[in-house]
Amino acid sequence: MAGIEPLAQGDLWPPDLSAWAGGNDGTGFVHRFHSGRPGPHVVINALMHGNEYSGAIAAATLLAAGIRPVRGTLSFVFANCAAFAQFDPGFPIMSRYVDEDMNRVWSPASLTDGADSVERRRARELWPLFGTADLLLDLHSMQHDRIPLMLCGRSRRGCELARRVGLPGVIVADPGHAGGSRLIDHPRFTEGADGPVALLAECGQHWDPVSAETALAVAARFLLVSGVVEAAALRPWLPSAEPSPPRLVEVTETITVTSERFRFLKEYQGMDVIPTAGTVYALDGGVPLRTPHDDCVMIMPSRRHADRGHTAVRLGRFGA
Ligand SMILES: [Zn+2]
């Protein structure tokens, strides 16, 4: 299940999304439902990365169950279906994207400049919908880590919404990537004191069946908190009790690879805590990288794709 080997029998296999390909709103793989009553536009997005289909299983399950808004508008989006269509169980990590990482193209400049790729074309097709979202949940999964996380970006309102959603139990407040803007980092969701909010859920390891259950539970809690879907309709996927308050990890540093030879000194699983400041944890082109403070949390360390210019790990500390 490390992700480099072919998919095995007990792994999470990709869903059949053919029933949702046509969409209901003029855009492929987009389903938008209007309640006819006032309320927010709530968006559940899946498949930003083509190999992260636990969120697609969650969205397809909610669609198939007939989850509809009782107020406002509810949209389900399968974003990078071109990459997902290339999924090969013999090489399961290969379908993250076609031309470029779709979750690095969401700055206003990237959405309007002339640069072209499969992902940018799809992003420009989807932005008219995302650009009207009041509450957006972007469902992802991770290469190695099994502890699910809610990324709330840097906005206070993102952190507050993540606390109300309560799942999956750990909130990471982070500034994003040097390599480009995530959807949740678009100014629509980050600028000003008040306004639309977007969260990114990392639901566990890509091919761990638990990640689909986590994606469903997080999406159900998100819809419950949004107020557009009635609690009774979400009951099959909601936890039986109110979740306990999540832990907050504030990212203190995002480590971007600067050389062709980056390696961690040991295999980190994600959410490992290094107790002592100054501990060397990686070498970037032979230069030792040290933890900047005590009790340093290793958030989503990459192992294979730590290429130059990409994020190798975020360092953080547990907050109040
Ligand atoms: Zn992802």
Side-chain angles (χ1 to χ4, degrees):
M1 176 114 47
I4 298 133
E5 305 88 34
L7 227 54
Q9 204 173 16
D11 290 341
L12 187 68
W13 282 68
D16 177 1
L17 298 178
S18 53
W20 314 111
N24 73 344
D25 200 37
T27 305
F29 289 101
V30 172
H31 291 260
R32 188 181 337 210
F33 303 100
H34 303 277
S35 69
R37 295 174 61 194
H41 180 198
V42 178
V43 178
I44 304 287
N45 183 57
L47 282 182
M48 181 72 85
H49 294 126
N51 61 341
E52 300 180 4
Y53 46 72
S54 57
I57 292 171
T61 301
L62 296 170
L63 271 167
I67 295 297
R68 301 290 181 268
V70 293
R71 58 186 66 81
T73 300
L74 174 60
S75 298
F76 294 95
V77 178
F78 303 93
N80 200 344
C81 295
F84 176 68
Q86 296 182 351
F87 184 81
D88 177 349
F91 303 93
I93 58 167
M94 296 304 287
S95 60
R96 182 174 169 84
Y97 54 77
V98 178
D99 292 328
E100 64 177 318
D101 188 331
M102 195 178 188
N103 213 20
R104 302 289 182 272
V105 303
W106 297 98
S107 70
S110 304
L111 287 168
T112 52
D113 73 15
D116 187 40
S117 70
V118 164
E119 279 73 20
R120 280 173 202 245
R121 258 172 272 152
R122 180 65 167 161
R124 286 163 191 155
E125 181 176 54
L126 294 176
W127 180 250
L129 182 140
F130 291 150
T132 63
D134 298 297
L135 297 163
L136 185 146
L137 176 65
D138 190 14
L139 294 167
H140 290 247
S141 57
M142 299 176 280
Q143 178 89 33
H144 300 286
D145 314 26
R146 289 173 179 279
I147 301 172
L149 312 166
M150 186 70 96
L151 309 191
C152 68
R154 273 298 191 212
S155 78
R156 179 183 290 270
R157 60 186 188 265
C159 188
E160 279 165 8
L161 178 62
R163 281 187 202 276
R164 287 173 60 214
V165 173
L167 295 180
V170 179
I171 300 171
V172 174
D174 76 322
H177 301 271
S181 175
R182 301 172 299 188
L183 179 55
I184 66 165
D185 301 319
H186 188 282
R188 175 176 178 83
F189 303 117
T190 54
E191 281 185 356
D194 228 345
V197 194
L199 298 175
L200 189 166
E202 297 282 5
C203 297
Q205 203 279 336
H206 299 324
W207 300 293
D208 182 349
V210 175
S211 69
E213 290 167 31
T214 302
L216 263 166
V218 171
R221 278 288 303 180
F222 187 85
L223 293 176
L224 179 75
V225 165
S226 78
V228 298
V229 178
E230 283 184 329
L234 298 167
R235 199 148 292 141
W237 309 286
L238 289 172
S240 50
E242 190 72 10
S244 44
R247 296 191 81 183
L248 175 66
V249 186
E250 298 200 60
V251 170
T252 50
E253 229 178 288
T254 300
I255 304 301
T256 305
V257 177
T258 62
S259 80
E260 301 298 338
R261 288 177 299 112
F262 182 98
R263 71 181 177 91
F264 289 102
L265 294 197
K266 59 170 272 201
E267 239 185 48
Y268 294 103
Q269 301 299 315
M271 301 306 288
D272 322 65
V273 179
I274 302 177
T276 312
T279 304
V280 177
Y281 63 89
L283 296 171
D284 190 0
V287 178
L289 301 184
R290 298 173 190 276
T291 52
H293 49 76
D294 286 349
D295 299 323
C296 185
V297 186
M298 307 294 279
I299 303 157
M300 288 190 282
S302 67
R303 266 169 263 180
R304 290 190 81 231
H305 294 290
D307 298 328
R308 187 202 288 258
H310 289 245
T311 301
V313 64
R314 290 91 150 172
L315 309 178
R317 59 158 58 98
F318 283 106

